Amino acid sequence: MKSHHHQLLFMFLVFFAQKIELLTAETFTGTYGINYGRIADNIPSPDEVATLLRAAKIKNVRIYDADQSVLKAFSGTGLQLVVGLPNGFVKEMSANASHAMTWVKENVQAFLPKTSIRGIAVGNEILGGGDYELWEALLGAVKNIYNAVDKLGLADVVQITTSHSQAVFDNSYPPSSCIFRENIAQFMKPLLEFFSQIGSPFCLNAYPFLAYMSDPENIDINYALFQKTKGIYDMKTDLHYDNMLDAQIDATYAALEDAGFKKMEVIVTETGWASLGDANEAAATVNNARTFNYNLRKRLAKKKGTPLRPKMVVKAYIFAIFNENLKSGPTSERNFGLFKPDGSISYDIGFHGLSSAESSLLSLKVRDSLYQHTRSFKRQHIGIRTVYFLDKNN
């Protein structure tokens, strides 16, 4: 009877420990994350990608779907994953709550807790895009996905968000003058109201590369690349900006404050710089991409806020792990990767390629294995000595 009670207590403690582990999980660890786009037919397998990211110590990862091969490969790795509900599913999820429940069960709940899924991004850059029916469906999809997560007891584990492009804003220069576009505000405000209720941040895709390319005659490239520059001065707030990304983030905070959501956090869900482009994309060079990504990594490592929100530490997901050879559009679209398709680095910002990562991870596994064997031997050795000691005293 006594051993039965001990067994029940043990099972309860294991269950409780798992629950605590889930409840205390953070959506974003540190300040640096990366986007894992897979519109390519020549990139490494998900298992190799997990090895690469672990060796690079990049813990926060976003994917644009809920591909099961990725979810399985990331199981037990400790990598924290945000999965995506693609735009093509948004209308269906908005119209049908039971479909939303099925999607969450099959693509999220089924992989927890071994695969550390920390968020669901419902659509990407919908508001401001060309499909107005999607604008109308977005809030319903967000609510149905959240309600499914909540009913499954995962609301403290899995955060619901959606990412926005700069197309949702008007007057983003200077930062303090930024507001949401008039035709978007009627869709944005109810969405922000809901996100405010459930504690979700505003997710921003911000590209100094694109902003510079749109007006190279009037924007100093050093300002876009975090290089030494005179920067800009915002008279309304009496704040100085020495880099464009901070200004883009603070423009977002200004728009949120104007809409009545002053306390909402902004997280950068995409930013990056192309290393190759077409003839009219002169800024897309290896040197500029290296400079931007190296300086961005340094800026994020400081764990500081922006001029307007100095206590809101900037967090960003870099775009992207790999160059994606099947993406459409200009050449730059296919050349945002920190790594080449073979897993080697595109340029040096302090990370190592896949072959180095595999060697590094293998040596870690050998070391861990030796450590475990040593511990096991010590326990056995202590056990033998204890038995011998007891036997002598009998």
Side-chain angles (χ1 to χ4, degrees), residues 32 209 221 224-226 271-277 282-297 318-320 323 332 335-338 346-349:
Y32 195 94
F209 168 73
I221 195 166
L225 293 171
F226 302 92
T271 190
W273 198 285
S275 60
L276 184 67
T285 67
V286 168
N287 190 50
N288 285 343
R290 181 198 299 115
T291 301
F292 177 85
N293 280 297
Y294 178 76
N295 288 336
L296 173 60
R297 196 176 172 205
I318 311 322
F319 189 86
N323 292 335
S332 59
N335 289 281
F336 274 88
L338 299 186
S346 297
Y347 40 80
D348 187 7
I349 61 165

Side-chain angles (χ1 to χ4, degrees), residues 99-298:
H99 286 194
M101 175 61 81
T102 301
W103 191 92
V104 171
K105 280 181 176 177
E106 291 178 356
N107 296 289
V108 178
Q109 187 189 38
F111 293 90
L112 288 169
K114 287 186 177 179
T115 301
S116 186
I117 299 171
R118 292 291 169 257
I120 302 170
V122 179
N124 186 47
E125 298 188 347
I126 286 177
L127 297 184
D131 187 337
Y132 294 103
E133 288 182 4
L134 273 181
W135 294 23
E136 293 175 351
L138 180 58
L139 180 58
V142 164
K143 285 184 173 179
N144 281 343
I145 291 290
Y146 173 78
N147 288 337
V149 165
D150 192 35
K151 283 174 185 171
L152 294 171
L154 300 173
D156 291 320
V157 185
V158 181
Q159 189 178 70
I160 311 303
T161 58
T162 189
S163 293
H164 304 285
S165 74
Q166 301 276 344
V168 301
F169 301 122
D170 250 347
N171 310 324
S172 57
Y173 180 84
S176 62
S177 68
C178 189
I179 56 172
F180 290 112
R181 272 172 45 194
E182 194 176 337
N183 65 328
I184 281 173
Q186 60 176 309
F187 299 99
M188 183 66 82
K189 286 189 179 180
L191 185 67
L192 295 176
E193 189 65 54
F194 185 67
F195 280 154
S196 180
Q197 289 167 13
I198 65 174
S200 291
F202 185 97
C203 293
L204 171 71
N205 294 345
Y207 285 91
F209 168 73
L210 296 177
Y212 172 76
M213 293 265 291
S214 70
D215 193 10
E217 290 180 9
N218 294 306
I219 297 173
D220 178 4
I221 195 166
N222 292 315
Y223 178 61
L225 293 171
F226 302 92
Q227 298 281 72
K228 211 166 189 180
T229 174
K230 67 175 184 178
I232 67 159
Y233 174 67
D234 191 325
M235 281 199 297
K236 183 180 174 185
T237 55
D238 192 27
L239 294 172
H240 176 262
Y241 290 88
D242 60 13
N243 72 81
M244 189 187 288
L245 186 66
D246 277 9
Q248 289 176 323
I249 295 168
D250 275 356
T252 307
Y253 278 124
L256 286 169
E257 186 169 348
D258 177 73
F261 300 92
K262 185 177 180 178
K263 293 182 180 178
M264 187 170 285
E265 181 184 14
V266 173
I267 289 180
V268 177
T269 37
E270 282 183 26
T271 190
W273 198 285
S275 60
L276 184 67
D278 293 321
N280 64 342
E281 298 178 302
T285 67
V286 168
N287 190 50
N288 285 343
R290 181 198 299 115
T291 301
F292 177 85
N293 280 297
Y294 178 76
N295 288 336
L296 173 60
R297 196 176 172 205
K298 276 202 311 185

Side-chain angles (χ1 to χ4, degrees), residues 21 24-35 49-50 52-62 74 76-82 116-118 316-317 351:
E21 183 190 345
T24 56
E26 293 177 35
T27 303
F28 199 117
T29 300
T31 58
Y32 195 94
I34 201 159
N35 287 279
V49 173
L52 182 68
L53 294 173
R54 289 174 73 193
K57 295 184 170 61
I58 300 175
K59 197 168 186 179
N60 309 290
V61 188
R62 288 171 59 85
F74 280 32
T77 61
L79 296 167
Q80 296 191 343
L81 195 59
V82 174
S116 186
I117 299 171
R118 292 291 169 257
Y317 290 89
F351 295 130

Side-chain angles (χ1 to χ4, degrees), residues 36-38 40-52 69-70 321-323 339-344 354 358:
Y36 176 15
R38 303 188 321 283
D41 59 6
N42 59 354
I43 58 177
S45 70
D47 288 294
E48 290 174 307
V49 173
T51 299
L52 182 68
S69 66
V70 176
I321 303 180
F322 300 110
N323 292 335
F339 297 90
K340 294 176 182 175
D342 64 1
S344 63
L354 188 56
E358 285 172 328

